[in-house]
Amino acid sequence: MAEVLSVSALNRYVKARLDGDDFLFDLALRGEIANFVQNARSGHCYFSLRDEQAAVKAVMFRSDARRMSFRPEEGMRVVVRCRATLYERDGAFQIYVNEMFPDGIGAAQLALEQLKARLAAEGLFDPDHKKPLPAYPQCIGVVTSRTGAALQDIRNVIGRRWPLTRLLLCPVNVQGFEAADQIAAAIDRLDKSGRADVILVARGGGSREDLWVFNAEKIARAAYRCKTPLVSAIGHEIDFTLLDFVADLRAPTPSAAAELAVPDRGMVRNEVDEIYQNIYEIMQNQLEVCYNKYNTCADLLEKGIHRHILDGGRAELARLEAQLPLLARTSLNEGNRRLRHAAALADSLSPYRVLARGYAVVCDSKGEVRTVGQLCPGETVTLRGAHHTAVCKVTSVEETDESAQNL
């Protein structure tokens, strides 16, 4: 008789067998989403993945769901990377999804439009965020495949147009599951190094599915974070990816990106030649002006006009020299007259003229002039006349009647 097992032992045994199978550890499944639910609190996603004949339950944890670039919807066809195992408690066979990608152009386009609308709402496409390209870059960083035609096209164009520019290659895969991570990391690495003046993210032409990796959200956000001017050059002119909207400049092809990134040495040479010609013509014009002035002065010298000017100057100088003595005498006489008038006026106001008429000045012992009202009985004063002085002693000081004084 077979050994009797508990249900939990059976589930544990089956789970161990499934977990030990390497084939089931890393699967890529294609199917249609059904019964999709995302838990509002935990953020985990629960759904079924089905095709025409069967279905399997699926779980995608919040940490993995957060990395999706689109919103899964009912009926959408997807490709998932997952592992298959048993949920031991319920004995339910299910898959645990690590990554999810749209499958089929309709679902993929829907996911792209959803992501594009979300990034546009966040401002990743705003023109104000666009940075201008430097006119003469010394170093250009290139994010592309080492073996692709895009790199060779960029080398050829830059070598022809502006060979002074150095190329700094950051090789990546441009398609496949790991391409998005490598491209985003390469953009960050070149930007943080500070060595590149411009960054070109390039890939040659291919199908829409081949170029789809450049619609990854992580690449768009890496381009938005990039402080170095970034040019997107993916596929051909008719191909558009999400990176084109975030990049500072979109080029239709890798070759066109190289042309936009560097100047054309032929055109620069023509501009330099034109500037040189303009400078030469300006110098010639200035020289002609100087020659004309020189010739005019030379003609005047030959005609003796300078002698007429000198003769006229000499005559004017002689006239002024003849007038100088008269002007000097006139000025001196006028000065003497003013001096005499001032002296006479000062003499008429002199106090000595008053003293000469018999008046005297009363001074105290210090020689200061005193009025009668300032004197005190018993005080000794000096009377100063025009030619004599007298020392007197005040016996009394009396007020004088004004009416009598007027008489």
Side-chain angles (χ1 to χ4, degrees):
M1 182 178 177
E3 181 182 355
V4 178
L5 299 176
S6 64
V7 175
S8 58
L10 174 62
N11 287 355
R12 192 179 306 113
Y13 173 80
V14 175
K15 176 177 171 58
R17 293 299 297 269
L18 294 176
D19 291 343
D21 190 332
D22 292 339
F23 176 77
L24 299 177
F25 187 78
D26 188 10
L27 295 172
L29 297 181
R30 174 181 287 110
E32 182 179 300
I33 294 176
N35 304 319
F36 182 85
V37 175
Q38 185 170 17
N39 190 284
R41 295 183 59 186
S42 67
H44 304 327
C45 299
Y46 304 94
F47 57 96
S48 294
L49 196 64
R50 67 188 180 188
D51 57 19
E52 291 79 4
Q53 287 84 29
V56 62
K57 290 186 177 180
V59 178
M60 190 175 193
F61 293 123
R62 178 179 60 183
S63 58
D64 296 319
R66 189 181 296 171
R67 298 198 306 268
M68 286 193 299
S69 61
F70 67 101
R71 186 177 72 249
E73 295 184 355
E74 190 74 15
M76 182 182 293
R77 291 182 58 82
V78 294
V79 174
V80 300
R81 294 185 65 179
C82 62
R83 63 184 178 90
T85 185
L86 187 78
Y87 184 43
E88 189 175 335
R89 190 195 69 179
D90 295 343
F93 177 75
Q94 60 185 23
I95 59 174
Y96 291 87
V97 177
N98 299 321
E99 292 183 284
M100 181 184 300
F101 306 95
D103 181 42
I105 196 61
Q109 188 63 36
L110 173 61
L112 176 61
E113 293 301 326
Q114 293 174 354
L115 176 59
K116 183 178 177 182
R118 178 158 56 86
L119 296 183
E122 294 181 24
L124 270 67
F125 307 155
D126 288 351
D128 295 341
H129 184 69
K130 309 296 183 183
K131 298 176 287 296
L133 272 60
Y136 303 97
Q138 297 181 2
C139 179
I140 294 179
V142 181
V143 179
T144 189
S145 172
R146 186 188 299 272
T147 59
L151 178 60
Q152 191 59 41
D153 292 343
I154 292 172
R155 282 175 173 168
N156 293 338
V157 172
I158 292 181
R160 182 183 73 251
R161 289 174 61 88
W162 198 252
L164 295 177
T165 299
R166 295 180 293 107
L167 292 182
L168 180 61
L169 175 64
C170 194
V172 296
N173 291 326
V174 291
Q175 64 184 51
F177 285 115
E178 299 178 352
D181 291 332
Q182 292 183 7
I183 295 169
I187 293 173
D188 289 335
R189 186 158 59 252
L190 283 175
D191 184 41
K192 292 178 181 178
S193 71
R195 299 171 60 186
D197 301 315
V198 181
I199 296 176
L200 305 185
V201 181
R203 188 201 191 283
S207 66
R208 192 170 186 179
E209 288 75 15
D210 293 337
L211 306 180
W212 197 263
V213 65
F214 292 94
N215 291 319
E217 180 178 0
K218 60 183 64 178
I219 295 179
R221 294 197 179 277
Y224 183 75
R225 288 192 303 269
C226 186
K227 300 297 187 297
T228 307
L230 186 142
V231 180
S232 172
I234 310 301
H236 298 298
E237 187 170 359
I238 61 173
D239 299 316
F240 276 88
T241 65
L242 201 60
L243 178 61
D244 296 328
F245 297 96
V246 185
D248 298 302
L249 183 66
R250 186 238 175 203
T253 63
S255 298
E259 292 181 358
L260 294 172
V262 296
D264 183 0
R265 60 177 173 176
M267 294 181 61
V268 173
R269 185 183 294 112
N270 293 337
E271 292 176 359
V272 172
D273 291 342
E274 184 177 352
I275 294 173
Y276 172 81
Q277 185 64 30
N278 291 338
I279 294 175
Y280 177 79
E281 292 177 359
I282 292 173
M283 293 180 64
Q284 287 297 115
N285 292 336
Q286 292 296 324
L287 287 174
E288 289 180 3
V289 171
C290 293
Y291 287 146
N292 292 336
K293 290 183 178 180
Y294 170 78
N295 293 332
T296 301
C297 294
D299 291 341
L300 294 176
L301 289 174
E302 290 180 0
K303 294 177 181 178
I305 293 180
H306 66 287
R307 288 192 293 271
H308 295 292
I309 296 175
L310 290 175
D311 292 341
R314 290 193 187 97
E316 180 66 16
L317 180 61
R319 184 182 66 80
L320 293 175
E321 287 178 346
Q323 291 180 352
L324 278 177
L326 177 61
L327 292 175
R329 287 194 300 271
T330 302
S331 178
L332 182 61
N333 292 336
E334 179 64 19
N336 289 333
R337 185 187 66 78
R338 291 181 179 180
L339 179 62
R340 288 193 298 271
H341 176 73
L345 180 61
D347 184 65
S348 66
L349 298 176
S350 175
Y352 295 104
R353 294 287 296 268
V354 178
L355 295 178
R357 294 200 299 270
Y359 292 96
V361 177
V362 180
C363 300
D364 58 12
S365 58
K366 298 180 180 179
E368 296 179 358
V369 177
R370 305 287 292 277
T371 64
V372 177
Q374 294 176 328
L375 300 179
C376 298
E379 182 180 3
T380 299
V381 297
T382 301
L383 299 181
R384 296 185 182 274
H387 303 289
H388 301 85
T389 60
V391 179
C392 306
K393 188 173 184 178
V394 179
T395 58
S396 65
V397 179
E398 299 178 356
E399 293 184 2
T400 305
D401 185 9
E402 293 184 0
S403 59
Q405 182 178 359
N406 292 333
L407 292 176

